[in-house]
Amino acid sequence: MVSVAEGLAGAVKGRVVERGDSGYDEARALYNAMIDKRPAAIAYCADDQDVAAAIGFARERALRIAVRSGGHNGAGLGSVDDGLVIDLSAMNEISVDAEAKMARVQGGALLKDLVGATYEQGLTVPVGIIGTTGVGGLTLGGGVGHLTRALGLTIDNLVAATVVLADGSIVQTDAEREPDLFWAIRGGGGNFGIVTSFSFRCHPIGPVLAGPVFYDMDDTADVLRWYRDFLPGLPDEVSGFFAFLTVPPAPPFPEELHMRKVCGVVWTQSGEEESPALREARAFGRPLMDGVAPVPLPAWNTAFDGLYPPGEQWYWRGEFVKEIPDAAVEKHATYGAALPTWKSTMHMYPTDGAAARVASDDTAWAYRDAVWAQVIVGVDPDPANAGAIRDWARNYSDALKPHTLGTGYVNFQQEEGTDDKVRAMYGSNYGRLAKIKAAYDPENVFSVNQNIKPAA
Ligand SMILES: Cc1cc2nc3c(=O)[nH]c(=O)nc-3n(C[C@H](O)[C@H](O)[C@H](O)COP(=O)(O)OP(=O)(O)OC[C@H]3O[C@@H](n4cnc5c(N)ncnc54)[C@H](O)[C@@H]3O)c2cc1C
């Protein structure tokens, strides 16, 4: 067999793994085991020059390029059949300038690295809720998490980046330099180039007051109606995502609740002293359990990592939600009670507060008027349950569609979107994104993503 990747090892300093090599299966594995892709090769780039060389190598041989940071993408967009995976995991350095309140983060770092390194200096950047997600994919799509109401989306805290473009050139971008590129990478995904370094503004933080409050599944309608009215009025420093879940069969959860399906709100307040708003929230209804307690942010940011290890089956659907009418509450109650496996879940992450005070055309993230980014995920370790988790997620999401903005957060999608779907995900910003794509990547070299086609 002729190696498509012959010569690649000489072109990049980092390790190269080809089809047929021992270690190939491990190297090609993605977080979502429902996706099974067989790239021609994987190049573990060591620096910006390696990234440029790998792009050039793939273009000369007409190999499709996928970029992998944390490998978490639901649709498996960190890999590509028969193409070249440019893996950034070896580029994971983080430097924090405590005085300037800035963090410089290489493109292959994970959230837990960023949260840990900044917390040591009493600082943070708002990111997602699981530590093993890549800073790269999460940031380029937007970045939603526990601190979104307080500190905005991850992209709202991005101040500069280093990008390797399709022609191999390495550019610095911020509000003044390559401003269109800087606008587009804040939500437009990996469409415009490979980001090898992100510079984030950091915020002072200490331990947070955080944890879940669980309620009986039969109380769903009451809890969700109260939550939808209560949440938008909360001060920014308090956030809570509504969830359906099965109580994990392990401490710190009381044994009598193990494996019980519940609804609940997972609260986070920046600052240890309980605010009147959080106190009022915790006093609502008849909780089965209240686990809210002071916790160091790095521990909270990795609290679900053990529950969701890599290599399980995942099926995703995501929608933006502005209002939750009673008809939607009823549908939630029906599908929540029907969680198909114990790891399957539904989360509604608030995106109001600080994130909603940024204009819809200030960054590529168009849906600043949404109050929640909702995600429905069927999850199970056993491939035999793949059909059941997929059907539940699809049916649930389809049933709710009339009560959503008709589209969702780009990072919460399982399927590689068709043109219409991607257009909808960017709404009123799509036209400008397509023009910027035409300027920076006219041949659509970066196409393994929720793809924005270059404008004609
Ligand atoms: C368990 C779990 C929890 C999650 N929780 C959250 C959450 O709380 N909040 C949230 O907002 N999202 C969350 N997500 C979704 C997550 O944001 C997306 O899956 C995202 O794509 C992951 O980024 P990654 O770098 O790990 O993925 P990858 O699969 O490595 O990459 C995803 C996409 O981004 C592109 N990309 C990645 N890095 C770069 C780069 N440096 N330059 C150019 N393109 C790049 C890739 O080409 C690919 O298209 C979660 C996902 C999982 C699996």
Side-chain angles (χ1 to χ4, degrees):
M1 192 177 82
V2 181
S3 158
V4 270
E6 201 175 343
L8 183 59
V12 298
K13 295 177 280 297
R15 188 163 73 101
V16 172
V17 180
E18 280 190 64
R19 207 182 277 170
D21 286 351
S22 68
Y24 172 73
D25 281 337
E26 197 184 314
R28 74 183 179 88
L30 296 171
Y31 179 86
N32 183 358
M34 202 183 275
I35 313 284
D36 184 27
K37 292 186 178 175
R38 304 184 69 82
I42 298 125
Y44 291 88
C45 291
D47 55 25
D48 294 6
Q49 287 67 33
D50 266 11
V51 171
I55 294 171
F57 179 91
R59 292 193 67 178
E60 276 167 25
R61 287 154 188 82
L63 291 173
R64 287 189 81 196
I65 292 172
V67 183
R68 191 169 69 187
S69 175
H72 261 215
N73 188 268
L77 297 174
S79 187
V80 58
D81 280 323
D82 304 320
L84 176 64
V85 173
I86 298 181
D87 182 288
L88 303 177
S89 59
M91 297 173 64
N92 62 355
E93 277 173 27
I94 295 176
S95 58
V96 183
D97 180 340
E99 209 167 303
K101 295 199 179 66
M102 288 293 300
R104 205 182 145 106
V105 183
Q106 280 195 305
L110 303 181
L111 302 189
K112 62 182 174 187
D113 305 327
L114 173 56
V115 173
T118 47
Y119 195 75
E120 279 175 21
Q121 311 283 344
L123 297 169
T124 203
V125 177
V127 289
I129 70 159
I130 290 209
T132 51
T133 305
V135 172
L138 175 120
T139 302
L140 294 169
V144 172
H146 295 305
L147 298 173
T148 304
R149 296 190 88 241
L151 305 176
L153 301 173
T154 307
I155 49 171
D156 300 336
N157 297 279
L158 183 67
V159 294
T162 305
V163 188
V164 185
L165 300 177
D167 63 4
S169 57
I170 300 167
V171 301
Q172 308 298 324
T173 181
D174 55 29
E176 267 86 47
R177 294 172 295 178
E178 315 279 346
D180 280 345
L181 179 63
F182 187 59
W183 179 84
I185 61 169
R186 284 176 293 158
N191 273 285
F192 307 93
I194 302 183
V195 179
T196 53
S197 170
F198 297 92
S199 294
F200 292 108
R201 183 184 316 112
C202 303
H203 303 265
I205 197 114
V208 294
L209 198 51
V213 177
F214 295 147
Y215 303 88
D216 194 292
M217 195 58 101
D218 288 344
D219 291 347
T220 293
D222 287 347
V223 176
L224 187 49
R225 272 197 292 262
W226 161 77
Y227 170 83
R228 77 173 174 206
D229 297 335
F230 185 73
L231 180 107
L234 286 174
D236 289 357
E237 67 270 19
V238 182
S239 187
F241 66 85
F242 182 86
F244 290 118
L245 68 146
T246 305
V247 179
F253 303 106
E255 238 171 85
E256 67 274 16
L257 293 183
H258 286 181
M259 297 304 278
R260 177 158 163 182
K261 288 179 188 174
V262 296
C263 68
V265 183
V266 181
W267 294 104
T268 301
Q269 177 200 279
S270 30
E272 265 183 297
E273 199 180 320
E274 188 177 39
S275 65
L278 184 59
R279 195 171 312 126
E280 186 185 342
R282 293 169 70 190
F284 173 79
R286 301 179 304 273
L288 298 171
M289 178 191 151
D290 180 338
V292 176
V295 55
L297 189 61
W300 185 224
N301 178 248
T302 51
F304 308 121
D305 290 20
L307 177 62
Y308 290 117
E312 303 196 330
Q313 306 283 311
W314 285 67
Y315 190 90
W316 294 71
R317 279 287 178 96
E319 282 91 22
F320 288 120
V321 174
K322 202 167 167 178
E323 283 165 351
I324 310 172
D326 287 349
V329 170
E330 272 174 40
K331 291 175 186 168
H332 277 295
T334 304
Y335 284 94
L339 291 170
T341 58
W342 79 270
K343 291 196 180 193
S344 297
T345 188
M346 190 287 292
H347 293 173
M348 301 186 74
Y349 298 110
T351 55
D352 58 341
R357 287 193 292 276
V358 176
S360 289
D361 59 358
D362 273 1
T363 67
W365 177 288
Y367 294 90
R368 297 286 179 170
D369 56 335
V371 181
W372 292 276
Q374 166 186 289
V375 64
I376 298 169
V377 274
V379 189
D380 198 69
D382 188 351
N385 287 328
I389 61 177
R390 188 190 55 226
D391 292 350
W392 170 78
R394 281 186 182 166
N395 293 338
Y396 188 174
S397 149
D398 288 348
L400 278 179
K401 200 106 199 163
H403 313 296
T404 69
L405 297 187
T407 183
Y409 172 29
V410 67
N411 276 350
F412 287 167
Q413 310 300 328
Q414 176 86 5
E415 275 123 25
E416 205 169 327
T418 55
D419 285 1
D420 281 357
K421 284 199 171 147
V422 176
R423 214 173 257 279
M425 284 180 220
Y426 290 107
S428 53
N429 286 332
Y430 189 86
R432 182 171 175 200
L433 284 165
K435 281 192 194 135
I436 298 172
K437 175 80 172 173
Y440 283 92
D441 184 17
E443 292 173 35
N444 205 5
V445 170
F446 302 112
S447 64
V448 185
N449 39 45
Q450 298 295 354
N451 196 229
I452 295 164
K453 300 285 180 315

